[in-house]
Amino acid sequence: MTPTTLVVIPTYDELDSLPRVVAGLRELEHAVDVLVVDDASPDGTGELADALAADDPGVHVLHRSRKRGLGSAYRDGFAWGLGRGYDLFVAMDADLSHDPAALPSLLAASRTADLVIGSRYVPGGRVERWPLRRRLLSIGGNLYVRGLTGLPVHDGTSGYRVVRRDVLEAIDVGALGSDGYAFQLEVAWRAWRAGFHLVEVPIVFVERRSGASKLSRAVVVEALWRPAVWATRAGRAAPPTTPRTVRRRPPPAADGGGTSDR
């Protein structure tokens, strides 16, 4: 049977783009449920998400009282889905930089991989409408992490990915302390160190057309110092464990998606 899939979408002031993202996901041939994790967006994104959920039982909303960061949003969103029996978890942005139409290729790769990363930096992947400074920052940051930790991926900071339930449980994702892009790096690094199989699938990343970027100096600094800590503690050597194989969980009950927390 087809694994149940939850797409977790953190939001903060994504009023213009969220309806198009959700519509694109719900129109896919592969059925996916959507969880919007909204950090009390002042532009009304949370209320809009509630309206979308009221019209579609496959859309759910998790409201948070304040802006608490990307990593925190994913930890809460993944916990919500783990408690409701989902098999696959998708992380993606709400600003249309991640095309919902690309998701089937990531899901297809998840049949034989534990963590699938939508990569901008493998053949076929690319970035559109980014200034040179952002390109250099992103590419340089990934090279830095790869060289420091040995993580064998080209785009560890990518926010578009599919991860199996087994991975989230094995790495105890709820206990991870990273936020921002460092959270994406830590999930990939810990999954690799635990012996899970990582695969990169090319995607086209398109810079947002509306809203403001969430990138800040604090996010960049964290993505630099945390990998240094991991490398110091674990070294750069390959994982000491034998690579795991993808496990097939029995599908959850038909109502495994649960109800909306609005």
Side-chain angles (χ1 to χ4, degrees), residues 126-200:
R126 67 180 189 275
V127 175
E128 294 184 353
R129 297 205 310 270
W130 251 11
L132 180 60
R133 176 178 175 275
R134 284 295 300 274
R135 290 175 185 266
L136 293 176
L137 179 63
S138 177
I139 294 172
N142 276 288
L143 287 172
Y144 166 80
V145 172
R146 185 182 176 99
L148 192 65
T149 67
L151 179 65
V153 298
H154 295 84
D155 198 358
T157 59
S158 171
Y160 202 4
R161 51 182 63 192
V162 179
V163 57
R164 298 184 66 86
R165 177 188 187 92
D166 292 335
V167 176
L168 298 179
E169 292 176 334
I171 68 174
D172 191 9
V173 69
L176 302 187
S178 299
D179 209 349
Y181 299 117
F183 177 81
Q184 311 289 16
L185 288 169
E186 185 169 13
V187 169
W189 180 77
R190 292 192 181 277
W192 172 61
R193 292 291 302 178
F196 287 102
H197 180 40
L198 279 59
V199 167
E200 293 183 272

Side-chain angles (χ1 to χ4, degrees), residues 18-19 22-23 36 47-57 59 61 262:
L18 181 63
V22 172
V36 177
E47 290 76 7
L48 172 63
D50 282 338
L52 295 174
D55 291 336
D56 186 340
V59 178
V61 187
R262 298 190 209 128

Side-chain angles (χ1 to χ4, degrees), residues 1-5 81-89 114 163-169 245-253 256:
M1 297 180 64
T2 302
T4 55
T5 303
L82 288 169
R84 288 161 175 79
Y86 287 93
D87 300 292
L88 296 175
F89 293 79
D114 298 302
V163 57
R164 298 184 66 86
R165 177 188 187 92
D166 292 335
V167 176
L168 298 179
E169 292 176 334
T245 57
V246 177
R247 289 151 302 285
R248 304 293 184 186
R249 294 179 64 252

Side-chain angles (χ1 to χ4, degrees), residues 35 44 46 55 83 136 169 200 210 221 232-233 236 238:
L35 175 65
D55 291 336
L136 293 176
E169 292 176 334
E200 293 183 272
S210 62
V221 170
T232 299
R233 292 176 178 173
R236 192 184 182 281

